[in-house]
Amino acid sequence: MLGKAFFADLEGIETITAPTQVAKLSEDYFRFSPILEPLLTGKVGDIVARPTNEAEVIRVAQVCVNHRVPLTVRGSGTGNYGQAVPLQGGLILDMTRMQTIKWIKPGAACVEPGVKLAALDKQAQEIGWESRMIPSTFRSATVGGFIAGGSGGIGSILYGQLRDRGNLRAVRVVTLEDCPRVIELRGDDVKKVNHAYGVNGIITELELPLAPAYAWAEFVVNFSDFMTAAQFGQALGNCDGIIKKMICILADPIPSYFTALRNYIPDRVHSALVLVAETDIEPFRELVREFGGSIAYKKSAQEASKGISLVEFAWNHSTLHARTVDPTLTYLQSLFPADPNLQLVREMCDRFKDEVMMHLEFIRMNGVVIPAAIQIVRFTTAERIQEIIQYHESHGVLIANPHTYILEDGGMKAIDRNQLAFKQTVDPYGLMNVGKMRAWLGKS
Ligand code: FAD
């Protein structure tokens, strides 16, 4: 229970205490996982604070430290693993009012964390630039939430993932020390808070590199055979002369879940959803011909900027649409090793068939184009999910387990000593996003 003094100390800062609103702002998209759902349902904060600037963030941090109240930072709450769910109540720090774009110049931008990725791109595109990568939730997701909780997305075929050196230039972070301060991290130091789920500092400003903005045409290409579609994806990824931003390959029946695209996707086809620079449409069509695909849908960049965009059917939006039709479906996230023949992709399709429906997203990793995957899984039991994960891992497929809220268990599965050391300095009382960092749990 928070005492009267706690509320009094927050005077002047916008807060929300109405239980239904607080409960709503305690959630994210963890319900995609039937394993996380029972663990996280009902975990709610006691109060939400909505700062408008860094000075207010510092004040909230001070109040939480003084009263030893847990603090969970939140952007738009579109994370999938319960990253923004408070496990032990306390204060939820909603950053969505900090929406100032401080500056944009060719090649870089500096923003407050609550800026939506769509808003950043709209402004950057006016000077011919755009984000290097965006999640398929770009319309609602915040820049701060993407950096602290996301991994990559549309654009990762060109620029790799968020964790790659160069994809985040600098951050300002507010600490939860006895006397909260602001620390600026630049260069490799940003790794201390990059993809740290907000366990070790409140990000109040970010400097990001931008990419030249191309006019992106959108295509759906259908294939009668999944492995041909997958090989097409790999070939397009490898084709340095064709500039592309997204290569999403979906095995039947995934495309049939896309109600809005039904006119373009007949039953029993496998589809490639692709964003290609308009200047490169001619060689792109030649590649489609070489692989025997048929172009069922084409939007120019101008048409694509209005109405539906294929971006919102790719990455984890595929799972979202599939779950709208069948809410029992869940998903996995994987990285397949580099292999021009995609042998392991074929093997996993043959082994699991319709139980694990293949969805590939080609990305660039350490200079090589590889298939990441967001497979859609017909859920039966938690044990079966574990079996599927173990089978993949024992064959050399890396699984970033989306069925855990523990930072280290989800992604690269290693304790990050730098992130832990930073937490020991900036959050000595362990108040930030309590229960999410295994390294800290082991310590306390
Ligand atoms: P939130 O969910 O609010 O927060 C995410 C994490 O960041 C939390 O741990 C939170 O505590 C922390 N955090 C937020 N703001 C701050 C801050 N200022 N300081 C410190 N910590 C902070 N992710 C991808 O990477 N790529 C995708 O393509 C993608 N597609 C998705 C599709 C769907 C349908 C869904 C539901 C999710 C998808 N995601 C994807 C996950 C998520 O949408 C993104 O990672 C998104 O960028 C998160 O932003 P957010 O503002 O919603 O963050």
Side-chain angles (χ1 to χ4, degrees):
M1 267 308 261
L2 304 175
K4 270 189 186 156
F6 178 84
F7 291 98
D9 288 351
L10 286 174
E11 187 94 28
I13 290 171
E14 186 189 324
T15 55
I16 298 171
T17 49
T20 44
Q21 268 181 286
V22 175
K24 200 158 176 267
L25 291 167
S26 299
E27 291 222 338
D28 62 11
Y29 278 75
F30 66 80
R31 289 180 206 286
F32 273 31
S33 163
I35 296 167
L36 289 179
E37 186 168 18
L39 298 177
L40 297 178
T41 298
K43 301 279 182 205
V44 290
D46 298 295
I47 183 170
V48 178
R50 305 188 70 222
T52 55
N53 54 46
E54 190 179 82
E56 288 190 359
V57 171
I58 294 170
R59 261 197 66 204
V60 176
Q62 184 74 72
V63 174
C64 285
V65 171
N66 290 351
H67 294 267
R68 303 289 192 269
V69 167
L71 181 154
T72 306
V73 193
R74 159 187 186 95
S76 294
T78 66
N80 285 113
Y81 329 122
Q83 295 113 301
V85 175
L87 297 181
Q88 291 184 16
L91 181 138
I92 293 168
L93 192 68
D94 174 346
M95 303 300 281
T96 55
R97 290 185 74 200
M98 289 184 63
Q99 290 205 12
T100 307
I101 296 178
K102 301 224 160 168
W103 51 259
I104 296 187
K105 60 186 183 191
C110 179
V111 299
E112 286 188 335
V115 168
K116 304 257 164 56
L117 285 141
L120 171 59
D121 272 1
K122 190 163 183 259
Q123 205 162 314
Q125 280 157 1
E126 283 169 18
I127 60 158
W129 294 80
E130 64 184 13
S131 298
R132 284 192 175 176
M133 64 198 77
I134 51 170
S136 56
T137 46
F138 67 103
R139 285 190 210 277
S140 50
T142 64
V143 177
F146 189 37
I147 293 298
S151 56
I154 298 96
S156 286
I157 183 65
L158 286 171
Y159 300 101
Q161 295 179 284
L162 283 175
R163 67 164 171 267
D164 291 329
R165 178 181 278 145
N167 282 336
L168 171 63
R169 296 277 159 85
V171 284
R172 278 169 73 87
V173 177
V174 169
T175 71
L176 262 76
E177 295 161 287
D178 282 320
C179 202
R181 61 192 164 123
V182 180
I183 298 179
E184 187 164 341
L185 303 171
R186 290 200 77 84
D188 279 356
D189 275 347
V190 299
K191 290 188 181 156
K192 290 174 181 169
V193 295
N194 199 348
H195 199 78
Y197 289 7
V199 298
N200 59 4
I202 305 161
I203 300 171
T204 51
E205 192 178 288
L206 306 98
E207 193 181 314
L208 301 157
L210 297 175
Y214 291 88
W216 299 110
E218 302 195 350
F219 289 90
V220 175
V221 187
N222 292 329
F223 294 86
S224 55
D225 165 65
F226 176 72
M227 281 314 294
T228 309
Q231 297 285 6
F232 165 78
Q234 182 73 58
L236 177 58
N238 291 347
C239 189
D240 294 336
I242 300 177
I243 301 170
K244 56 268 160 182
K245 193 178 182 184
M246 182 178 97
I247 308 173
C248 165
I249 309 291
L250 301 161
D252 172 55
I254 301 174
S256 69
Y257 292 122
F258 302 166
T259 317
L261 297 178
R262 194 165 282 157
N263 290 345
Y264 312 99
I265 302 181
D267 285 345
R268 284 178 293 284
V269 298
H270 312 272
S271 302
L273 275 47
V274 176
L275 263 62
V276 179
E278 278 191 348
T279 45
D280 293 339
I281 289 179
E282 201 183 323
F284 172 72
R285 283 185 186 279
E286 281 164 359
L287 188 73
V288 172
R289 218 173 296 130
E290 187 183 320
F291 280 82
S294 84
I295 294 179
Y297 171 102
K298 190 217 150 186
K299 261 189 171 183
S300 67
Q302 211 192 353
E303 290 163 338
S305 65
K306 302 172 210 122
I308 16 173
S309 162
L310 293 184
V311 164
E312 285 164 290
F313 294 87
W315 289 82
N316 221 3
H317 263 74
S318 303
T319 320
L320 178 88
H321 293 291
R323 281 177 46 80
T324 305
V325 177
D326 179 354
T328 65
L329 297 173
T330 186
Y331 71 119
L332 281 179
Q333 300 175 144
S334 326
L335 276 180
F336 280 85
D339 167 19
N341 298 316
L342 302 175
Q343 204 43 51
L344 270 176
V345 171
R346 183 190 296 274
E347 195 176 323
M348 294 304 152
C349 290
D350 290 347
R351 168 96 193 178
F352 294 106
K353 303 198 164 55
D354 200 40
E355 185 184 9
V356 181
M357 297 170 251
M358 194 56 87
H359 164 190
L360 303 176
E361 293 286 346
F362 283 89
I363 65 168
R364 179 170 294 273
M365 195 165 142
N366 299 324
V368 179
V369 172
I370 60 156
I374 311 180
Q375 303 94 324
I376 296 183
V377 180
R378 293 191 194 281
F379 181 73
T380 46
T381 63
E383 293 71 34
R384 179 62 182 157
I385 287 268
Q386 273 315 317
E387 259 174 49
I388 296 170
I389 290 176
Q390 271 157 20
Y391 188 86
H392 280 76
E393 288 180 336
S394 67
H395 286 74
V397 182
L398 190 147
I399 299 277
N401 186 0
H403 303 287
T404 171
Y405 55 73
I406 301 285
L407 175 62
E408 296 93 333
D409 295 355
M412 303 312 281
K413 298 194 177 57
I415 287 178
D416 185 324
R417 298 278 158 211
N418 285 333
Q419 289 191 346
L420 176 62
F422 193 61
K423 183 171 172 74
Q424 280 159 347
T425 307
V426 302
D427 182 25
Y429 301 109
L431 297 174
M432 293 206 66
N433 214 350
V434 177
K436 304 286 172 61
M437 189 186 218
R438 179 173 300 292
W440 184 267
L441 293 173
K443 180 198 152 295
S444 55

